[in-house]
Every structure is written in C-alpha cells, then in structure tokens.
Amino acid sequence: MIGTIKKTIGVLSFSILCACGSQSATTLQGAIYADPSQPVERRVEDALSRMTIEEKVALLHAQSKFSSAGVPRLGIPEVWCTDGPHGIRPEVLWDEWDQAGWTNDSCTAFPALTALAATWNRDMSLLYGRSIGEEARYRRKDVLLGPGVNIYRTPLNGRNFEYMGEDPCLAAKMVVPYIEGVQSNGVAACVKHYALNNQETGRMTVDVEVDDRALYEIYLPAFKAAVDGGAWAIMGAYNRYRGEHCCHNKRLLNDILKGEWGFDGVVISDWGGVHDTRQAVENGLDMEFGTWTDGLKSGSKNAYDSYYLADSYLDMLRKGEASTETLDDKARRVLRLIFRTSLNSEKPLGSLNSPEHLEAARKIAGEGMVLLKNDNGLLPVDLSGMRKILVVGENAVKMMTVGGGSSSLKVRHECSPLEGIRAAVGDRAEVVFERGYVGDLSGSYNGVLTGQDLGESRSEEQLIADAVRAAAEADIVLFVGGLNKSDHQDAESFDRMVYGLPYAQDRLIEALAEANERLCVILVSGNAVAMPWVDRVPAILEAWYSGSEAGNALVDIILGKVNPSGKLPFSFLRKIDDCAAIAGNYFPGGEKVEYGESIFVGYRHLDREGIEPLFPFGHGLSYTTFEYDGLTADRSEMDRKGSIELSLRVTNTGDRDGSEVVQLYIGDEESSLPRPVKELKDFRKVELRKGESRVVTFTITPDMLRFYDPQKGWTAEKGEFKAYIGASSRDVRATIGFRLS
C-alpha cells in the first residue's frame, strides 16, 4: 500500500510539473520517462529522445549560483546543489554569495570530516551520511557537495579539516557508508576534490607532478572506493595535473574515472574550475558551475549563457565541431542524476536540525575526540571534592561553525566548550573563565553573523598574567585553544604559514603548566600542531571542530560519561621538517609542484626514515586498557585465488567499558620496487565491557598485497609478507608471517 501511495505521489508530482510547461500533462501520458515504475535507464533514454540540442546543453551549466536548468517543456526539474560536507549551507541569493535572508535555514553542524575519520567507525559514517542527507532532502537539495577525501599530504593545507586523513585505506573505508547514508535520502553525494587537491596555495593554477605509483596507491583509492560504492557525482578539483585543469582533465576523467572505473554518474566542476570550452566538452566534464562567481554582474544579458558549456558549446555543435554522441553522454548522465534524486518517488521527506540530528552530531563528535596523553589519570575529571575549575582560551567561547570557506554554516545554536562545561558541572564546583589570548575577533562569513563580541582591551602580557593568577587557585585547568577558521589557519583558499600554535598560545601553555601541574590542553583544530610543551602537560585531548554539539560532546569526554575511543587519522609530527613533502617541494617557486616523496606520505615516510612522531597515525588512548593475545592464522600460505583468516583475542582489562580500534597493517618483505614498511589494510572497532573478551578476525586477500607497477599495473608478487596487528601504526601488539605463492 505504501509503495502504491509513493508511486501515485510521484506520478502526480510529475504531472503537475508537466502542466507547468508548454506541453500538457495529457500529451505526456504514457511517456516512459514520466513513469516512476520504469527502470531509470529506460526513463533516461526516453527523455533524451524527446529533447532538442538546446535543451540538452541547458542541462549542463548553471542557471544560478547553485542550480542548473531542467527541461520545463518536459516537466523535468532543475538540479539544486548545496555546499557540505559538514552541514547544509544557508540559502544564498540567486546570483550572489550574500545570504537570501531566510529564517528557516539553520542546519545542524556535524563534526568536521577529520573528526568523523577519527572515529574509525563505519557505523558513525553511515549515521553521519544519513543525518546530513535528511537535512539536504528537507531543504530540497539534489546534490550535497561532499564528502572530501583528498589525502592529508602536509599539516599546512588549510583545507585538511574537510578531509579524512593521510591514509587511503582509512579514507576509502569511511567514505562509502557516508555516501550510502546520504543517497538513501534521494540526495546525490558529490565526492571531492578529484584529484590531487592537497594545498590551497596557488590552488587555481598549480600543476601537480606525481608518479603513477603515488597516484594510484595514495591519491585515488578513496575516489575509486566512492565509485565502487555507488556515488552519483564526483567534483573536479581546481588544480592542474599534467598541464590540464582537473575539471576537464582527459586522463583523470575520461581514461580513469569513466574508463577504467566505469563511473556512470556526473562530473561536476568546482565553482570557477572551468577554463576552456573544447577541453570541457571533450575531457569528461558534465556540469559547469560558478565560472563567473559574480553571477549576472559580468556584463552579459545572461552570464550563464556565456559559460563554457553554454552558448559556445552550442556554437560548436551547430558548426559540426563537436560530437552529438558526447553531448548525449553528458545529458544522459545529468538525466540519470535527476531521476535518482529530484524525480525519485521513493525519497523520504527529510528533517532539519531535529533532536535526532543533534544527538547524532554529539555522538559522532564524542567518538571522534582523541585522547593523546593522560598521565596520572588526570582525565576524566572527578568532581567530588573539587572547588574551582579554570577554563582558559578563546576557543572555549568562539563559534567555530562560521568561517573557513564553503563549509561555513548557519546554526540555530552552537554549544561552546565553556557552555557545555558549566552546564554539566552545575553547582558542584565553580567554573571560572579566563581568555588567555586574543585570536580572531571576526564573527561573520557571507552574511552569517555569530553575534559574538570578542573585543578585548587587555594586553598579551595582562591576559597571560590573569590566567596564571587564576590557575594558581584552581583545582584543575582546562586550556581550550588550537586553531580557528581564520585565513592561514584551517580555511579554504589559504594554507597555514607555520606549524606552531598562533597567538602566543605556546607561551601561555608554558606559563599555565608552571602555575598548576593539573593542566589539560584541549585542541580545537583540523590539523596537527607543534607542541614544544608536550612533556610539561599531563593531559592532551584533540577535540576537532565538533559542530553544533561541540561543548556537550567535549564535556561527555572530560567527565567520563563517554570513554574516548578516537584514533588519529594522520600523524602528529614533532617538527614540520619531518614531513616528507615539506622537506621536498611544498611551496613551489613557480606553477609546478612535484610530489617527490611519491608513495611515502605520512606514517609511511616516518617508518621508512625511522623518524619518531609526536603522536603516531592511529594513536588514541582510553580510560580503560586493552590486551591483545592469541594471534593465529588459518594457513601460512595462499595462492592468488585464496585468502588467509587472522584471529586474535582482545580483552578489556580495565575498570570501564570502552571501545578499541584494532588495526591491521601488512608489510611486503621482498618486493621488486620500494614499498612502505607496513600499510593499513583494515580495521575493526570493538566495544567491550570491563573484563570482556572478544575474538577479532581479519581476512587477507591477494588484492590487499598489491602495489602499482607503472610497467605492469596492479601487481601482487610472490613471496613473504608480514601482518602487524596494532593499536596504532607504532603500537604493534602482534605479528605473523605468511607467504603468497
């Protein structure tokens, strides 16, 4: 019955749309494309056969900041996009970035994708995708511009907070459930930025030179997983590769994405990422947005007709200079997108900023926070007998959902760390706040105002002195600092200039440590930072940008309501020169950047060079302890069609319930080409009650042993391998050897 109702609603909606065009609904009765019970491909082909060249071209370019035209004559609706990937962007005017002035577009801000990756939990990724997809559906958006899966190549990339870390396996396994969750709402996930978008400096022009091993082993696997996982859209990157911009790059789009991988969705340009009509036509782009981001102010009667995939494309077609087969392929892909999204009669209604979404944001944030250090069990905070808690730092009060670029959001309310702490502590102890440092005084982005007055009259010296004086009188000091969404910190269009903390925070932390040995440093950031004070601070917590429920999620961890289980999705370096890319050629003198480190990114480089990280990839502590034992394999050798199953027992040996991420790395003991010491291949997150044991299993297949040989393609060589089971890339608990025959 429900299915019948949905089908009827779909038909009625289509009839209404048709009646609005010049062709009546009566004329279209019996049309295959108008029947939601028909397979999508039949509907696509039927609609395509009824369209003129002009209507096909109109599908391929913007008609406003975030929409493209449908086919009004046939009742085929527009495509509406929205920025993500952490929440649904507030509505903007038709042709401008300024706010539209809506009062009902406040969304839930979900944690940044670094926080999601740090959960190492596929279930959290599915929950995230489903929840944000419901918000997009409610706002009647067809395409969510996210998630981002570009690799964390350096800690200076200002956009790292939008991505999923330094390891292709982690990013690949976390992106697929996100896509599934979003698209279950009839909203397309548009995975970005394809590809090699690893810096903001010169991002519109820089030409990346990377060898094929690094391309296939490091920078493409998460995109390949997204395609295999059914993503309906992919966004091209701003940068160039082999001299061609990635939004119309023959090798990336035609040869690899649509050729090798068989992608059947749409390739959407990043806003302003298209530069040439012929390349856009021939090299795989399907939809063009934002070419002139000032909309109709460019001087044309209709600026959108001047886009590369608009009148100039029509002119080529009319002169016979462009293939109609290529045009049909592009239009077919856009129609397929429309039937999967706006004309999907099975899509749910969605919801916006619901209690369930706020709870999801809080749960994901709490599970993603990473306890980096906890000497003497300083955390969780025991409130019994405590008189005064001192909270220090601008990030304890500053809104973090506004700013940072296209992921900036408009929320009904953002719970700050200070607010969360005060609400949870109540009258059990006095909570005192000292600012400690002055960072970013701004409070707006594209017309969204935080309403915060962050003005400060005290000098740097006075701020530190006041904080130190209060620290000497407190039972515990919680410093909340890190980075923010300002230029040259964690922000689109800008890279960081230095690896250390800004605003004299290092000096402040040193002074607080001198005044009170019970100091916990809480970092709000999307990037690793230098920590010259690390040996003087007993507890350090990476809290990320945690969205609407940041303060509540933080206090859940601090007071022990939630046992921390997050693990780092990227390495924290002791110094910036320990980064292979920085030691090479990160800031090029010209328009080219060479990825001279090849496949040795992140922990792969640290392992090869024997460099000790500040905190390793995969690291994260708990309020309980876990023991690993009994690693066994069901066989010691496998052929190219076989597999090996590993089993081990994990036991919660502490006095609290908790979750542990068991990580499988594999190393090739005898390879014809240089390979990392070990590489992440799989992981399991297991929840264990105190005293509970559980057997964890991994299945090793020949595909997990492959590397990319530029001469042979993907290759798994015979020989000896070693499996490493660890709690991080450096905390290896057990190893076992095996052979591929």
Side-chain angles (χ1 to χ4, degrees):
M1 180 66 179
I2 292 175
T4 302
I5 292 172
K6 284 186 175 181
K7 178 179 176 181
T8 303
I9 291 173
V11 173
L12 286 174
S13 300
F14 212 106
S15 298
I16 291 169
L17 285 167
C18 293
C20 294
S22 60
Q23 187 168 348
S24 69
T26 303
T27 305
L28 291 175
Q29 285 182 354
I32 292 174
Y33 82 91
D35 183 355
S37 69
Q38 294 292 324
V40 167
E41 294 307 313
R42 287 198 67 194
R43 299 174 72 189
V44 167
E45 294 305 320
D46 184 60
L48 189 68
S49 70
R50 300 169 186 268
M51 292 169 58
T52 67
I53 288 180
E54 289 77 11
E55 288 170 336
K56 293 174 184 178
V57 169
L59 287 177
L60 311 182
H61 63 84
Q63 63 166 357
S64 75
K65 271 283 182 283
F66 282 97
S67 72
S68 63
V71 188
R73 181 179 65 85
L74 299 181
I76 297 174
E78 305 158 330
V79 173
W80 279 90
C81 304
T82 180
D83 267 319
H86 310 134
I88 308 307
R89 186 175 184 150
E91 208 67 33
V92 300
L93 296 173
W94 187 263
D95 294 310
E96 301 174 25
W97 292 116
D98 293 341
Q99 300 304 295
W102 288 17
T103 58
N104 62 345
D105 57 347
S106 296
C107 71
T108 300
F110 295 93
L113 289 188
T114 44
L116 174 61
T119 69
W120 291 60
N121 188 336
R122 299 165 177 85
D123 291 339
M124 288 299 99
S125 186
L126 180 63
L127 174 64
Y128 195 123
R130 184 182 297 123
S131 300
I132 197 173
E134 287 171 354
E135 301 227 338
R137 180 75 272 147
Y138 183 88
R139 288 274 303 282
R140 300 186 179 182
K141 305 303 182 184
D142 304 305
V143 181
L144 175 72
L145 303 175
V149 293
N150 292 99
I151 292 296
Y152 184 109
R153 181 175 176 246
T154 85
L156 299 184
N157 181 5
R159 216 165 180 182
N160 277 335
F161 72 99
E162 294 187 47
Y163 300 143
M164 293 189 180
E166 72 183 29
D167 185 80
C169 174
L170 176 62
K173 291 186 181 297
M174 291 297 289
V175 73
V176 173
Y178 183 114
I179 294 167
E180 179 185 342
V182 170
Q183 294 185 171
S184 68
N185 290 280
V187 175
C190 183
V191 183
K192 61 185 187 182
H193 301 90
Y194 183 74
L196 304 165
N197 189 189
N198 306 112
Q199 66 183 60
E200 292 298 282
T201 301
R203 65 176 182 161
M204 305 295 286
T205 57
V206 66
D207 191 2
V208 174
E209 295 183 350
V210 61
D211 63 74
D212 275 359
R213 281 201 70 193
L215 182 70
Y216 277 94
E217 292 187 30
I218 303 296
Y219 297 103
L220 294 187
F223 290 103
K224 174 66 161 55
V227 171
D228 292 343
W232 294 339
I234 297 286
M235 178 185 285
Y238 281 134
N239 52 283
R240 294 182 293 163
Y241 163 66
R242 292 191 172 183
E244 291 180 343
H245 282 91
C246 291
C247 285
H248 36 73
N249 187 289
K250 180 181 182 298
R251 186 170 193 225
L252 290 178
L253 301 181
N254 283 346
D255 298 346
I256 297 175
L257 180 64
K258 295 179 177 180
E260 292 178 24
W261 300 349
F263 177 59
D264 72 351
V266 296
V267 174
I268 295 176
S269 75
D270 204 343
W271 270 234
V274 185
H275 304 273
D276 181 86
T277 294
R278 184 167 295 278
Q279 288 187 24
V281 169
E282 296 178 354
N283 292 354
L285 181 67
D286 299 313
M287 299 184 78
E288 176 187 5
F289 285 93
T291 295
W292 293 287
T293 55
D294 58 353
L296 299 182
K297 296 178 181 177
S298 66
S300 303
K301 180 179 179 182
N302 184 344
Y304 303 109
D305 289 340
S306 299
Y307 274 28
Y308 294 106
L309 287 183
D311 283 354
S312 58
Y313 187 14
L314 268 175
D315 187 56
M316 288 177 63
L317 287 162
R318 288 165 179 161
K319 292 178 179 178
E321 297 174 355
S323 164
T324 55
E325 288 79 7
T326 299
L327 172 64
D328 283 351
D329 179 71
K330 296 178 189 297
R332 183 178 289 114
R333 290 172 183 272
V334 178
L335 287 170
R336 187 178 292 127
L337 174 71
I338 291 171
F339 287 124
R340 285 169 166 172
T341 58
S342 58
L343 288 180
N344 176 1
S345 62
E346 300 296 319
K347 63 181 180 290
L349 295 175
S351 57
L352 185 69
N353 203 39
S354 66
E356 292 80 6
H357 292 170
L358 292 172
E359 181 58 31
R362 182 172 182 169
K363 183 176 178 62
I364 295 164
E367 192 159 331
M369 291 183 185
V370 182
L371 184 60
L372 299 175
K373 185 179 180 182
N374 193 28
D375 291 353
N376 306 316
L378 184 62
L379 295 179
V381 174
D382 183 0
L383 294 177
S384 60
M386 190 162 292
R387 299 172 297 104
K388 183 180 292 187
I389 298 172
L390 174 64
V391 179
V392 181
E394 182 178 281
N395 282 3
V397 295
K398 180 176 174 58
M399 284 185 67
M400 292 296 181
T401 55
V402 176
S406 59
S407 63
S408 180
L409 300 171
K410 174 183 173 183
V411 297
R412 188 172 301 162
H413 178 71
E414 177 183 336
C415 180
S416 71
L418 181 61
E419 178 187 353
I421 293 167
R422 281 181 167 161
V425 172
D427 59 5
R428 290 179 288 176
E430 180 184 6
V431 177
V432 179
F433 174 70
E434 282 290 344
R435 184 164 181 172
Y437 70 91
V438 175
D440 181 10
L441 299 179
S442 66
S444 67
Y445 187 86
N446 278 152
V448 175
L449 306 176
T450 65
Q452 291 184 301
D453 180 4
L454 296 176
E456 178 60 66
S457 60
R458 287 175 291 176
S459 66
E460 179 181 303
E461 295 293 334
Q462 190 61 53
L463 284 163
I464 294 176
D466 290 348
V468 168
R469 188 178 304 108
E473 301 173 353
D475 296 299
I476 191 170
V477 179
L478 304 175
F479 172 79
V480 187
L483 307 177
N484 57 41
K485 301 289 188 69
S486 299
D487 297 351
H488 299 295
Q489 294 203 46
D490 286 321
E492 182 180 358
S493 302
F494 302 94
D495 284 324
R496 297 167 66 193
M497 303 299 290
V498 295
Y499 184 45
L501 287 173
Y503 315 128
Q505 289 180 78
D506 289 337
R507 182 183 172 206
L508 172 60
I509 293 170
E510 295 277 5
L512 292 172
E514 183 71 24
N516 193 320
E517 62 181 12
R518 292 176 56 80
L519 170 63
C520 174
V521 170
I522 299 162
L523 296 171
V524 176
S525 73
N527 260 308
V529 298
M531 300 183 193
W533 33 263
V534 64
D535 294 330
R536 302 193 59 196
V537 174
I540 305 171
L541 178 70
E542 175 57 69
W544 315 110
Y545 297 112
S546 291
S548 294
E549 291 291 294
N552 289 327
L554 176 62
V555 80
D556 287 343
I557 295 290
I558 291 173
L559 297 185
K561 180 181 177 181
V562 171
N563 192 344
S565 62
K567 300 279 188 172
L568 288 179
F570 48 79
S571 308
F572 272 53
L573 307 174
R574 292 186 176 276
K575 59 183 186 302
I576 192 61
D577 288 343
D578 288 342
C579 172
I582 298 297
N585 185 25
Y586 181 61
F587 290 114
E591 291 190 347
K592 291 185 181 294
V593 58
E594 182 181 357
Y595 285 26
E597 72 282 1
S598 185
I599 62 172
F600 294 98
V601 176
Y603 70 89
R604 290 166 168 81
H605 167 68
L606 301 179
D607 284 355
R608 181 177 71 160
E609 299 299 325
I611 298 172
E612 189 68 24
L614 184 62
F615 297 106
F617 171 79
H619 170 75
L621 304 177
S622 170
Y623 295 152
T624 189
T625 54
F626 300 95
E627 286 188 359
Y628 298 39
D629 66 87
L631 176 62
T632 60
D634 66 346
R635 58 179 57 85
S636 61
E637 185 170 344
M638 67 175 174
D639 60 28
R640 295 179 186 279
K641 295 182 180 180
S643 64
I644 292 177
E645 185 172 280
L646 304 183
S647 300
L648 74 152
R649 184 186 305 106
V650 181
T651 303
N652 183 343
T653 55
D655 58 4
R656 289 174 177 265
D657 299 346
S659 296
E660 172 70 330
V661 179
V662 184
Q663 302 162 38
L664 167 66
Y665 299 82
I666 295 179
D668 189 342
E669 300 288 280
E670 44 180 315
S671 172
S672 61
L673 293 178
R675 299 196 71 179
V677 174
K678 59 184 179 296
E679 299 175 279
L680 182 73
K681 294 298 179 179
D682 205 352
F683 54 89
R684 299 280 186 276
K685 192 160 194 175
V686 290
E687 185 175 353
L688 298 170
R689 296 185 301 274
K690 59 182 180 181
E692 182 183 5
S693 295
R694 184 174 301 174
V695 174
V696 176
T697 62
F698 294 100
T699 300
I700 300 175
T701 63
D703 283 353
M704 298 166 71
L705 311 181
R706 299 185 307 167
F707 63 94
Y708 191 85
D709 186 325
Q711 305 302 320
K712 304 175 184 177
W714 286 105
T715 301
E717 293 181 335
K718 297 178 181 180
E720 303 295 328
F721 293 83
K722 183 177 290 185
Y724 303 80
I725 303 294
S728 81
S729 62
R730 288 296 176 94
D731 185 5
V732 174
R733 304 293 183 87
T735 62
I736 194 167
F738 62 94
R739 181 175 181 81
L740 177 66
S741 60

